[in-house]
Structure formats: structure tokens, C-alpha cells
Amino acid sequence: MKTAITELFGIEHPIIQGGMHYVGFAEMASAVSNAGGLGLITGLTQRTPELLAKEIARCRDMTDKPFGVNLTFLPTFSAPPYPEYIAAIREGGVRIVETAGRSPEQYMPALKAGGIKVIHKCTSVRHSLKAEQIGCDAVSVDGFECGGHPGEDDMPNMILLPRAAEELKIPFVASGGMADARSLVAALAMGAAGMNMGTRFIATKEAPVHENVKKALVAATELDTRLVMRALRNTERVLNNKGVEQLLEIEREKGKSLKIEDIHEQVAGVYPKVMIDGDMDAGAWSCGMVVGLIHDIPTVKELIDRIMADAERLIRQRLTGFLDGTGQRPAAARAIA
């Protein structure tokens, strides 16, 4: 399948693995890239630029296919040394960067000077247009269904993606709620040139996380995520657990007077406890509503191959069937699901 995204990034399939804290290591990124998608190392999971350089080198040893680095620009008082991280990316020969969080505008000259293609994650059309204006090559349009930070507009992809298609000139991928062939075909129908999957890739054999995490994703339903930190206008969608329930109780008690310090224990340092130690009640960790569509733990290659084969069947058989008079094929639809 060829789209503007496969052409832009030189990949076989229009599937991108989103940057995920304590998930986007070389093992994850290389597995996705080797299977024909675009794998991403999560830059800030590496505590220093020097460690990121080593992780890039490790990934280079594990794949000869294109891969990228996610770099999230955080609103913090003590910002990470972003110029040094970008230097590590450039010197490591990486030519694709997914940016997220705050606007990457001030860092675009350094990225472009390194011949790097930039895809910026946005939760609104207005931010997507800004990304286009500052020179981003593509956008990852992130709907309200997503794990992590969905923005404050609460706009689901059924509206957000067509609106992005109406406004943008650069290609974009659909992010949030993406899990299978149905997601991909729907995204393409709404104007996207591919899809970005985060939560779904955690439930794969190669994902370098504790087995408890993968089992929790398979066991969960679409009703098991919660929105936290809304009062702080830093909304995050997370998987429900005891730590999250404590966080929500604190939010109810504090109301509009809530401060980040009040929930420090439930949000700070949680990812190593969950992803490495397997403590599923440690606190808030990002998880999308798409968890309701995760029913197995395949290899990355099995997952991507299945998505692409099912997408072709959906397009050639089910959708074309509505036009040629053969009608709906329930059995095939169930098999694809």
C-alpha cells in the first residue's frame, strides 16, 4: 500500500509506532521497522543525550530499515537539554523525528539543518495548521480516544480527521483509537495517509515491558480508562487502577484548588514501576480507549501483516461489495474484526 506517508518516510506500510515512555526502546522500534512500519525510540526515556545516542546505535544494529525518534517538548522549569538531544539524533543518522507536547518551532532550524523530516502530534486542527506553517512535513492528528494527553477540546477522530483533511496541505496520520485494519481503512477514508498506534503496540511479544502490562491490556475493556488532571488543564487518559482511583478521589476533594503537588505520588515516577516492575496499581500511566479492541499478544510482524491483509480484504471485498451488489459479508467482517 502506497500513501503520502509511506513515500515521505520510505516505509512499506502506513503504520507508525507512537512514542511511548518506557516502551519506545530499540527493541520496540526495530521490531516495527523490520515489519515494514515506522518504529520510534522515545527520546526522553533516555535520561541523557549520551544514552539516547547509545540507544540509537543499538537500534541501528537491530534494523536496516528507517526508524525515528520521538522528542516531547515538556512545559517544565528545568527543561531537558533539547539541543543536545537533537545533536544526538542528527549524529546518529536518524532522519525522522516525531515531536509532541509544545510547539517544536524554536527547534525546527536545527532539525531541518540535519535533513530531518518532522511529524508533529496535534490534538486540534488549529495546532495542525501551525505545525504546517512552521515547516513540519506531516502531522499526527490525535483524537480524544487516545491514551496520554488528548488536549482540552475533547474532539473525537470521526470529526477531527475529516476537519484536518479539509484544512491541511501536508499529509497526516490518524492517532488515537487505532488498533487494526478497520482503524486503518476508516482513517484512510477520512483523509489520513496512515495511522499511528501506541497502546496496541504495547500488547506485542517484542514490547519491552513487564508481562503484567500486556495481560492487563488484554483483560481491559473500552470502559476501563479514566481522564485525570482535567482541573489542571493537563488532561491525560490512563488505565484505571488503585493508584488512579486514589488520584481521582484527591481531585474530587480538592476541586478547582487542585495542584500538581497534591497528586505527585500518583503521577511521578510511575512508568518504571509499571513497565519494568509490573506494579499495575502504581499510579497513572497512559492508555487509550482502544484497549477494548486488544484481545491477543502477537508478534509485531504478525500484527502488522494481519492489519495489512485485513485492510486489503476490507477494501476489495467488503467495501467494493456494497457497490457491486454482493452486499455485506458478515462472516468475513467477523474474521477481520
Side-chain angles (χ1 to χ4, degrees):
M1 182 183 288
K2 288 187 177 181
T3 74
I5 286 294
T6 62
E7 298 297 293
L8 178 65
F9 295 135
I11 55 179
E12 184 181 357
H13 306 307
I15 297 174
I16 298 174
Q17 165 243 318
M20 294 173 285
H21 204 31
Y22 277 85
V23 180
F25 294 101
E27 291 83 357
M28 183 86 263
S30 63
V32 174
S33 291
N34 283 331
L38 179 65
L40 295 176
I41 294 169
T42 306
L44 296 188
T45 294
Q46 304 300 320
R47 296 186 308 279
T48 67
E50 293 76 19
L51 288 173
L52 176 58
K54 291 180 181 178
E55 195 69 11
I56 290 170
R58 276 211 318 132
C59 195
R60 186 80 60 202
D61 288 339
M62 299 165 84
T63 183
D64 59 0
K65 303 288 181 66
F67 66 90
V69 172
N70 163 276
L71 201 54
T72 299
F73 296 105
L74 301 168
T76 58
F77 292 109
S78 55
Y82 289 114
E84 287 84 353
Y85 275 101
I86 292 170
I89 291 167
R90 288 173 56 173
E91 290 163 13
V94 175
R95 295 295 175 261
I96 303 166
V97 166
E98 177 195 59
T99 55
R102 289 192 164 181
S103 171
E105 184 170 9
Q106 73 179 98
Y107 302 103
M108 287 298 288
L111 291 165
K112 287 301 178 181
I116 292 169
K117 293 182 173 70
V118 178
I119 178 169
H120 185 54
K121 183 168 282 190
C122 301
T123 59
S124 70
V125 173
R126 64 185 182 279
H127 292 151
S128 300
L129 287 169
K130 176 65 175 178
E132 180 178 80
Q133 178 193 330
I134 66 174
C136 291
D137 300 277
V139 175
S140 182
V141 177
D142 212 13
F144 185 57
E145 308 92 324
C146 72
H149 299 279
E152 306 303 321
D153 293 341
D154 298 0
M155 191 64 61
N157 268 328
M158 285 292 286
I159 306 301
L160 188 57
L161 297 177
R163 281 289 297 121
E166 289 176 354
E167 300 284 348
L168 289 171
K169 296 180 179 66
I170 57 175
F172 66 94
V173 297
S175 183
M178 303 292 120
D180 53 31
R182 296 169 297 184
S183 312
L184 177 58
V185 173
L188 295 173
M190 287 186 280
M195 69 177 179
N196 177 303
M197 295 197 305
T199 303
R200 185 60 187 95
F201 273 127
I202 303 177
T204 57
K205 294 197 186 309
E206 293 92 339
V209 302
H210 198 285
E211 200 64 24
N212 288 354
V213 179
K214 302 178 187 184
K215 290 178 180 176
L217 293 177
V218 172
T221 77
E222 66 275 16
L223 302 176
D224 290 323
T225 69
R226 298 291 183 270
L227 294 171
V228 299
M229 296 189 288
R230 302 222 82 180
L232 301 175
R233 293 191 63 78
N234 188 33
T235 302
E236 183 177 5
R237 187 179 297 282
V238 300
L239 189 68
N240 194 33
N241 59 41
K242 290 180 182 177
V244 169
E245 289 173 358
Q246 292 169 1
L247 190 162
L248 291 170
E249 182 59 33
I250 294 169
E251 289 189 340
R252 282 190 288 270
E253 291 174 359
K254 297 287 183 180
K256 292 182 179 179
S257 67
L258 180 75
K259 295 181 175 60
I260 189 66
E261 294 82 10
D262 298 325
I263 53 174
H264 184 270
E265 183 180 336
Q266 288 78 26
V267 299
V270 169
Y271 279 85
K273 296 175 185 175
V274 174
M275 300 300 177
I276 297 173
D277 301 335
D279 180 359
M280 302 314 299
D281 290 318
W285 59 280
S286 297
C287 178
M289 295 175 77
V290 73
V291 71
L293 299 176
I294 297 174
H295 308 304
D296 61 353
I297 306 172
T299 67
V300 168
K301 187 177 189 315
E302 287 168 348
L303 176 61
I304 290 180
D305 285 352
R306 182 170 73 197
I307 289 171
M308 297 313 301
D310 287 350
E312 183 170 349
R313 282 196 292 273
L314 270 173
I315 295 166
R316 292 189 186 278
Q317 297 176 19
R318 179 173 167 78
L319 298 185
T320 305
F322 289 122
L323 298 177
D324 64 20
T326 58
Q328 186 170 316
R329 298 177 172 84
R334 281 196 300 273
I336 289 169

